[in-house]
Amino acid sequence: KMDIITDYLEDQMDNRQFWPRQVWSKYAEKLSDFKEPDMSQNALCCLNELVTNALLHVPDVLKYMSRLRNQSVFNFCAIPQVMAIATLARCYNNPRVFQGVVKIRKGEAVKMMMEATNMEAFKGTMRQFCEEICSKIPTQDPSNSATTDAVERIRQLTATSHALTVQRTLSPLHVSCALVVAAITWQYWTQIHWVYEHYLNWT
């Protein structure tokens, strides 16, 4: 869902439509209308509803992650999840989604990859970006209450005293392994995106 949300403009330029009609039809006659300046408020309302819907998956993500016991598997699964929640936070109520692609800075991405190596750190990162979303909820947004409820649910599930910094107790070997996994994952998703762009013919 995160990729579909962030790729709105690119998909429109390539004549692709992945945003669900049952959502965008509440705010516009055509999905392409959101590119127009006079539709900016409706566009943000639609965007916020989609992000809110994506947040409903976070409790299941937390449950799944809590059951992982292998460190390498945990790292591999945690990286795309923290990247996704960070991107959703940056997209929420952000008009730039309709003007280009909203991305996480590489330095910030690497920092998150290094930190998300245990469940407490993972929960702390998820909570951090949910709080970022909460701070941007517009009072008059149609999804206001749903977004607030979703964030509150995540707050309850991510209560932790973990500080969002790289732990001093991490051994050099542990950090090195985390970086290797992060690099492999980054390369994997880059290749998938390249194949998607160059070989798949969407209609």
Side-chain angles (χ1 to χ4, degrees):
K1 289 185 176 180
M2 181 271 294
D3 287 334
I4 290 173
I5 292 171
T6 58
D7 290 345
Y8 167 83
L9 187 61
E10 181 179 340
D11 289 337
Q12 284 294 299
M13 293 176 65
D14 292 338
N15 198 30
R16 298 190 298 257
Q17 294 193 145
F18 295 116
W19 281 26
R21 179 182 293 272
Q22 62 266 37
V23 176
W24 65 255
S25 61
K26 301 177 188 178
Y27 307 101
E29 293 185 3
K30 297 181 298 182
L31 182 56
S32 58
D33 290 345
F34 292 145
K35 294 183 295 183
E36 304 302 325
D38 60 343
M39 290 291 289
S40 60
Q41 191 57 48
N42 284 29
L44 288 177
C45 289
C46 182
L47 170 65
N48 293 346
E49 181 170 345
L50 291 176
V51 172
T52 299
N53 179 271
L55 290 178
L56 298 179
H57 296 289
V58 173
D60 288 333
V61 169
L62 291 165
K63 184 177 181 180
Y64 176 81
M65 294 298 298
S66 70
R67 295 179 175 180
L68 298 179
R69 296 294 178 262
N70 182 280
Q71 185 66 56
S72 297
V73 173
F74 184 94
N75 293 347
F76 183 81
C77 293
I79 290 169
Q81 300 306 321
V82 295
M83 292 292 292
I85 192 69
T87 303
L88 288 174
R90 299 299 152 80
C91 286
Y92 185 81
N93 206 47
N94 187 347
R96 289 192 295 133
V97 171
F98 304 96
Q99 302 163 3
V101 179
V102 177
K103 295 183 178 180
I104 302 301
R105 296 189 303 273
K106 290 183 179 179
E108 185 177 12
V110 171
K111 182 174 182 290
M112 288 188 293
M113 291 174 184
M114 292 183 64
E115 290 177 347
T117 56
N118 61 74
M119 193 59 199
E120 286 301 296
F122 181 78
K123 290 195 296 183
T125 300
M126 300 297 278
R127 184 185 181 98
Q128 173 191 356
F129 288 109
C130 282
E131 294 293 353
E132 182 177 325
I133 291 173
C134 185
S135 69
K136 299 190 292 184
I137 300 176
T139 305
Q140 302 301 320
D141 189 88
S143 301
N144 178 296
S145 59
T147 310
T148 302
D149 290 345
V151 169
E152 182 57 34
R153 175 62 174 155
I154 296 168
R155 280 174 175 161
Q156 295 172 2
L157 295 172
T158 57
T160 177
S161 59
H162 180 82
L164 294 178
T165 56
V166 178
Q167 299 180 31
R168 293 180 182 179
T169 56
L170 288 178
S171 68
L173 179 59
H174 193 171
V175 173
S176 297
C177 290
L179 287 174
V180 169
V181 171
I184 293 173
T185 304
W186 187 279
Q187 182 66 25
Y188 171 78
W189 286 111
T190 300
Q191 290 175 346
I192 290 295
H193 183 72
W194 188 87
V195 171
Y196 169 85
E197 289 293 325
H198 293 274
Y199 288 103
L200 295 185
N201 183 22
W202 298 92
T203 57

